[in-house]
Amino acid sequence: MALSTSFRSNLIKPLTALTALSSTQHLRRPFSSSVDDSTALTIETSVPFVGHKCEPPSRNVETTSKELLGFFHDMALMRRMEIASDSLYKSKLIRGFCHLYDGQEAVAVGMEAAITKKDCIITAYRDHCIYLGRGGTLVECFSELMGRQAGCSKGKGGSMHFYKKDSGFYGGHGIVGAQVPLGCGLAFAQKYSKDETVTFAMYGDGAANQGQLFEALNMAALLDLPAIFVCENNHYGMGTAEWRAAKSPSYYKRGDYVPGLKVDGMDAFAVKQACRFAKEHALKNGPIILEMDTYRYHGHSMSDPGSTYRTRDEISGVRQERDPIERIRKLILSHELSTEAELKNIEKKIRSEVDDAIAQAKESSMPDPSELFTNVYVKGFGIEVAGADRKEVRGVLP
């Protein structure tokens, strides 16, 4: 499929900027190779932020050697989990819908680095890595994907409905855009409680034209809610390029009266800086929109080969020039925090860890049939059902 000239140009602009990564202007080295975990670093973001009705934050991001190495580990773990999920799906151990996140890991990791588990996150169905970032385990992830009892939703949610309330993760939602008004509800509760926390309501460019998003945005602005609207713009809503679906694909400007910020979503440090900035803004002034310019390597879902509406050259070009893990790898090597062999050894251990988690998940049993009616009604209220023999059954729930 031919792409419009402007769309291809917009996709490639960040690629060109990132090729300068090896330049010393992007990599500051204020120390020798003998470093410890607390060594301070200042990293410059790959490209400048672009603001709408707000002054963008600085491109210089403070970090430590420990955080930099942690970013590499966490994103490599997420990537391996998603690649393994691809294989499990093709082996028919994962059924139903399955949307993979490989390529977009910097958004999940950078966001977590800027907030706490008391802050809330709610997202759509591409949720595996967000859940892992919130503190979920690999065994819980794979168990849920395979519909096993050890899953984070007891095997009853599957790929699209991961959930971890104790860490402020409210799903995992299958209806396009429907999670955004729910996110505003969470933000309303936070403002009512005066607990100085915020909610990140995440959605894709495919959901950016939903009417309910603008209704929620209007209410959030009227009430000055601590809501951060995060558009993960991977440039394709299912198989439709953004320029075919949106007259104005500048999603960070879509709030009109609400400030916005365009962020390189393939740069974990840019995401971290933007989310920290957004949290401070939201607590003082109300809602803000963050457009994360990112990219998914897989198709929309496992039923989509992802190559009929974009070229293989486009996908490989993004991998070579903008891959979020490779960017962190270059930073680590440039600052001499680790060797290439050591990083490969980390990836090897991650593969083993993922394999072990899959083996454990396979040992978990399927949900008991009695679970069919649980988590449907409020606990204690019970239900009434009439069977084929018309006998009434009461109090099914404990």
Side-chain angles (χ1 to χ4, degrees):
M1 178 182 290
L3 299 179
S4 73
T5 303
S6 60
F7 176 70
R8 185 183 294 277
S9 175
N10 288 335
L11 189 62
I12 297 300
K13 279 179 183 177
L15 313 189
T16 307
L18 197 56
T19 57
L21 184 61
S22 59
S23 169
T24 54
Q25 66 178 340
H26 283 281
L27 302 177
R28 302 184 180 186
R29 301 176 58 186
F31 53 89
S32 69
S33 58
S34 66
V35 296
D36 58 39
D37 287 349
S38 61
T39 301
L41 296 166
T42 301
I43 306 295
E44 188 177 52
T45 62
S46 55
V47 294
F49 298 102
V50 184
H52 167 68
K53 294 186 180 297
C54 67
E55 189 68 28
S58 169
R59 291 181 63 185
N60 296 323
V61 186
E62 301 300 321
T63 186
T64 63
S65 53
K66 180 179 181 181
E67 182 176 66
L68 188 53
L69 289 164
F71 279 7
F72 178 82
H73 174 275
D74 292 350
M75 286 197 288
L77 186 66
M78 291 175 177
R79 178 72 57 86
R80 189 63 192 174
M81 178 181 72
E82 295 296 67
I83 298 304
S85 297
D86 174 286
S87 298
L88 290 170
Y89 193 93
K90 290 172 180 175
S91 299
K92 298 185 178 180
L93 289 170
I94 297 176
R95 302 278 185 160
F97 294 103
C98 186
H99 306 79
L100 301 182
Y101 202 71
D102 49 317
Q104 300 183 207
E105 300 92 348
V107 177
V109 170
M111 183 167 57
E112 284 295 342
I115 62 178
T116 74
K117 295 298 188 293
K118 291 184 179 180
D119 295 306
C120 298
I121 300 177
I122 189 168
T123 190
Y125 36 74
R126 207 176 301 277
D127 59 353
H128 313 159
C129 294
I130 304 294
Y131 175 81
L132 200 63
R134 292 265 86 183
T137 68
L138 286 172
V139 173
E140 291 168 341
C141 288
F142 286 121
S143 296
E144 191 59 42
L145 285 167
M146 292 189 283
R148 310 299 177 104
Q149 281 187 356
C152 57
S153 296
K154 300 182 180 180
K156 300 191 292 181
S159 171
M160 299 194 293
H161 301 289
F162 282 34
Y163 190 81
K164 191 172 175 59
K165 184 180 178 181
D166 60 358
S167 293
F169 182 53
Y170 289 86
H173 293 264
I175 305 301
V176 176
Q179 72 279 2
V180 178
L182 297 179
C184 289
L186 292 170
F188 181 86
Q190 289 169 323
K191 181 169 183 176
Y192 188 85
S193 300
K194 300 179 180 179
D195 57 7
E196 294 298 301
T197 56
V198 300
T199 291
F200 288 79
M202 306 176 73
Y203 58 97
D205 53 291
N209 297 317
Q210 286 273 322
Q212 59 188 324
L213 190 152
F214 293 95
E215 292 180 54
L217 189 65
N218 180 61
M219 292 180 69
L222 282 171
L223 299 172
D224 293 327
L225 300 183
I228 299 165
F229 293 70
V230 182
C231 177
E232 291 185 281
N233 181 11
N234 59 31
H235 301 282
Y236 295 95
M238 297 187 72
T240 304
E242 60 180 353
W243 61 274
R244 290 183 179 276
K247 185 64 177 178
S248 172
S250 296
Y251 299 109
Y252 69 104
K253 296 181 180 179
R254 286 289 196 89
D256 186 16
Y257 42 81
V258 173
L261 194 68
K262 186 172 183 179
V263 185
D264 182 359
M266 305 293 270
D267 178 353
F269 287 106
V271 175
K272 172 188 171 182
Q273 187 83 329
C275 289
R276 179 177 292 167
F277 171 83
K279 180 176 179 178
E280 292 176 358
H281 172 94
L283 288 173
K284 294 178 182 177
N285 306 303
I288 184 171
I289 296 173
L290 298 180
E291 178 187 343
M292 301 293 182
D293 181 4
T294 185
Y295 198 83
R296 56 169 165 78
Y297 296 146
H298 266 84
H300 170 73
S301 68
M302 285 300 297
S303 62
D304 168 24
S307 57
T308 57
Y309 48 84
R310 56 183 182 175
T311 65
R312 295 190 183 278
D313 286 344
E314 178 187 307
I315 301 169
S316 62
V318 176
R319 281 187 182 274
Q320 292 172 16
E321 304 293 347
R322 294 186 69 202
D323 186 84
I325 299 176
E326 292 309 307
R327 171 175 168 78
I328 297 298
R329 189 193 304 271
K330 290 176 183 178
L331 285 167
I332 290 171
L333 295 176
S334 176
H335 285 81
E336 299 178 357
L337 300 178
S338 187
T339 65
E340 183 67 53
E342 289 169 336
L343 294 180
K344 287 189 177 297
N345 189 48
I346 290 173
E347 291 174 308
K348 182 179 179 180
K349 289 180 179 178
I350 285 173
R351 286 195 294 272
S352 178
E353 185 180 347
V354 168
D355 290 343
D356 290 345
I358 292 172
Q360 290 182 54
K362 286 180 179 178
E363 293 177 359
S364 177
S365 59
M366 296 291 182
D368 189 272
S370 64
E371 286 287 313
L372 183 63
F373 292 106
T374 61
N375 310 118
V376 176
Y377 292 93
V378 175
K379 193 170 183 178
F381 277 71
I383 59 172
E384 294 184 5
V385 294
D389 58 0
R390 313 304 292 175
K391 289 182 179 179
E392 198 173 69
V393 180
R394 295 181 181 274
V396 174
L397 294 184

